[in-house]
Amino acid sequence: MAEASMVDPAPLLQLDKVETCYGLSQVLFGVSLSIMPGEVVTLMGRNGMGKTTTVRSIMGLTPARAGSIRFSGSDIRALPSYRVAKLGLGLVPEGRQIFPNLTVRENLVATARGDGEGAWTLDKVHGLFPRLAERGGNMGNLLSGGEQQMLAIGRALMTNPRLLILDEATEGLAPLIREEIWNCLGMLKKAGQSILVIDKNVDALTEIADRHYMIERGRVVWSGTSRDLLDAPDIQHRYLGI
Ligand SMILES: Nc1ncnc2c1ncn2[C@@H]1O[C@H](COP(=O)(O)OP(=O)(O)O)[C@@H](O)[C@H]1O
Ligand SMILES: [Mg+2]
């Protein structure tokens, strides 16, 4: 047993047959996916297919009504969102949702947690995104979209997440800023950070990520490695329309 678990470590996050509704309207119909420690995994699909709802179910923001969600071995399906966050899930939400009336620095410090070895600090976030140091005294609502996304990522990192989740990592951002975000995710991966990323940029995602899941109408319809996805233009066409 011990040997088997060394070869095949337990998933950091595991969703099994998750079903989620908004009121009477069911949106997820048995979503199963897993992320191993240190993996970068994507969830892709067209708009309205259930990506954000999957994230909201994981985070306890829209609790799943059936199935199981396990994080690092604990069942988190029915936990309130603040407890899920505390267990080590850090979310960069769709639309960023930074605090508009706090400065950049205050936004970052507001979520700071822990000061152990390897903990994220203001200096480390500034090292990753020098722009945030330059804009430290600016109010959150005066930032460009790209700066807001950097801040949202920095804010999530300040909680020292064991799993970082980005919902629409580069949506609506200029090409140069996108590049900067992808570079940042590449660096985080190299440092061993586990990441679940939602985005539509197959070129960047197949370079950075280990594995991919396609979701359509609340169901996982395909999963595979970056190589599998690159070798399957029909899958990209069918589920992403490209
Ligand atoms: N708060 C909500 N109330 C009711 N329906 C919702 C709500 N949020 C999303 N939906 C519906 O759930 C489906 C999946 O949405 P979502 O998870 O946001 O998709 P994606 O992130 O893949 O674009 C869509 O049909 C959407 O209209
Ligand atoms: Mg979404």
Side-chain angles (χ1 to χ4, degrees), residues 152-167:
I153 294 171
R155 190 180 59 174
L157 290 173
M158 288 293 276
T159 69
N160 299 308
R162 293 163 69 198
L163 177 64
L164 178 67
I165 302 179
L166 298 102
D167 191 356

Side-chain angles (χ1 to χ4, degrees), residues 22 25 27 46-54 94 167-168:
Y22 295 105
S25 155
V27 170
R46 289 192 178 86
N47 287 341
M49 292 304 175
K51 302 181 298 295
T52 295
T53 305
T54 301
E94 196 172 15
D167 191 356
E168 302 294 358

Side-chain angles (χ1 to χ4, degrees), residues 65-236:
R65 66 148 205 207
S68 90
I69 305 179
R70 301 185 74 77
F71 181 66
S72 196
S74 316
D75 183 354
I76 61 168
R77 192 189 94 192
L79 291 186
S81 54
Y82 77 93
R83 286 196 51 201
V84 173
K86 219 168 173 183
L87 283 174
L89 283 121
L91 174 63
V92 179
E94 196 172 15
R96 347 267 193 231
Q97 298 173 24
I98 59 169
F99 305 121
N101 52 349
L102 295 185
T103 65
V104 167
R105 200 176 302 110
E106 287 166 344
N107 262 280
L108 290 170
V109 173
T111 58
R113 194 184 311 134
D115 49 9
E117 204 181 323
W120 279 89
T121 60
L122 208 50
D123 279 351
K124 276 178 80 176
V125 170
H126 288 164
L128 194 62
F129 295 123
R131 195 92 64 99
L132 294 181
E134 292 160 23
R135 296 275 191 272
N138 286 32
M139 301 304 268
N141 59 355
L142 295 180
L143 302 178
S144 71
E147 290 164 350
Q148 287 188 25
Q149 186 66 335
M150 292 173 194
L151 179 52
I153 294 171
R155 190 180 59 174
L157 290 173
M158 288 293 276
T159 69
N160 299 308
R162 293 163 69 198
L163 177 64
L164 178 67
I165 302 179
L166 298 102
D167 191 356
E168 302 294 358
T170 65
E171 170 92 338
L173 302 181
L176 276 176
I177 304 283
R178 288 181 178 212
E179 207 53 44
E180 204 169 328
I181 303 285
W182 295 129
N183 286 341
C184 147
L185 295 188
M187 281 190 272
L188 291 173
K189 178 184 164 60
K190 273 209 190 96
Q193 176 72 55
S194 310
I195 305 174
L196 173 62
V197 54
I198 292 172
D199 203 271
K200 295 183 177 66
N201 188 332
V202 172
D203 288 344
L205 292 173
T206 47
E207 244 178 60
I208 289 172
D210 301 292
R211 291 187 303 112
H212 311 270
Y213 290 91
M214 293 283 173
I215 186 169
E216 175 143 286
R217 295 198 196 104
R219 293 176 173 87
V220 172
V221 287
W222 183 89
S223 68
T225 62
S226 289
R227 189 71 260 162
D228 295 337
L229 184 56
L230 287 169
D231 288 345
D234 54 317
I235 294 292
Q236 298 182 36

